[in-house]
Every structure is written in C-alpha cells, then in structure tokens.
Amino acid sequence: MTQGVSAAASTLQRPALWTIPVYTGSAEALDAKAHALGERLALIASRHAQARFASSLAAEDMVIADAILRSPAAVRERFSIFTLQTGRLHAETLAVLDAIDTRYGYAVQAYEPDLQAVEQFVAQYGLNGFYDSVEARKACCGVRKVAPLNRALDGAQAWLTGQRREQAVTRLDLPFEEQDAARGIPKYNPLTDWTEAEVWAYLQRHDVPVNALHAKGYPSIGCEPCTRAVRVGEDVRAGRWWWESKDTKECGLHEQNIKQH
C-alpha cells in the first residue's frame, strides 16, 4: 500500500511537458496560410533555378518539405532538400528520413561532418566538452553543423530554413527574405510569421509524418545530448542547449552567417 502511494505521489510530482498546441483558428484561415506558403515557394522558384532547403526534420521543416514535395513540378524541381547528419542525432530523427522516402518517394540528402575535424574537437574539448562553455559548444556546432552546411550550400543560388519569429528572442525580427552576406546568396524563411499552432494544424490537416519525439515533450529537436523535453510554460526552444542563456541559443547556422572552412 505504501509503495502504491509513493508511486502515485511520484507521478503527481512529475512536471507536465509541452504538448502539441491546439489550433483555434478557422479551416479557411489555415488554408489561406498554406496557400500563401505555396506562393512564397513559387516566388523563390521563379527567382532561383537551384534553391536548397536545410531541414532539421522537425515540425516546421516538415511543413516546408510537404509543401515543396506536393508543389507542381515546375516549382518542386527548383528545390533540393538536405539535412545535417551530425553523428549525434536521435534515432527518432533519423527515422524521419525513411518516413519522407516512404511518403513522398524522395531521398533527403544527408551531409556529415569531417571525421578528422570531429576527432580534433574531441581531442581538444572531450566528447561532451560542449557542456563546459559556450565557446566549446559553438566549436562543436561549427564542426558538426556549420562546416557540413557550407558544403551543402556550395553552388546554391539561395537557401531556405524553417525558422519562425515566435521561436526565440534571437528571431523576433526575422524577415521572409534576408541576405546571406558570407555566401552572397539570399536566404528565405517561408514560415517566419507562422505560429506554433498553425504549424501543427497544417501537419495534422495534411497527415504529414513527424518526429516521434514531438509526442514526448520535444517541440524543438537538435542533437541528442543537447536537447531535452520542455515543460509546460517554457519557451519552445528551452530544451535546446538548456544549460546556456537564452540569448546564446543559436548554433551558427543562422548567427552572423560566418562562413567556416
């Protein structure tokens, strides 16, 4: 009996985790948002013969992937989708690659970090040295994410991301189109003005495959050791690099566009 009471008390004390938000808008409003997204993709396609979409395989990026892969051929063929296989992703994240292939018949290209660069990072900082300082964490992101991104974007005329203004204090002024000064190409954020509820309403309406971690309290998903579930009321990116200040929570992919070789 005592064990049962203790177990019940333990369950009650567990913090409530983030859950998929409920969309309270109309179906017409959501359809208008989706139509506007399609128009944005068509605009990008009209400007660039080779635009590349950097997908984290999380919720926002699955909205864009679905919209691209269901677009008319004249638009779809202007885009290629890639992801950064950092070597430290969750198994659930990697499973999304198979889900995309199964659903759309499309193979997302994966870019991996240079093995020697990873070994040099580990030798200098330790395998999990990114916990020790912002400098070390950004060095890890530089090796595992930024350098592969640079290879992925070599020769691209433009690139796309799944960023939204609502996600973080570092993204409050995020425009639809900006200039990647380091690479000399435009960078587009087609979901910049979307809300979290709109993202999930779209995914559910179109039955888009999603990362299984979302159902376990993960609204934003990165590398496994740098991501945790988020409690109710926390910022949606609170689970990313949770040991740092919210003002430093960028990996370098979208911060200052510093190109590294």
Side-chain angles (χ1 to χ4, degrees), residues 51-55 60-61 64-65 68 80-83 159-162:
R52 299 178 188 171
F53 171 41
S55 173
E60 286 82 3
D61 294 335
I64 297 176
I68 288 174
S80 60
I81 305 174
F82 70 89
T83 193
W159 67 295
L160 289 71
T161 85

Side-chain angles (χ1 to χ4, degrees), residues 87-101:
R88 310 241 20 205
L89 299 180
H90 299 80
E92 292 89 342
T93 300
L94 296 176
V96 178
L97 293 171
D98 291 334
I100 292 173
D101 194 5

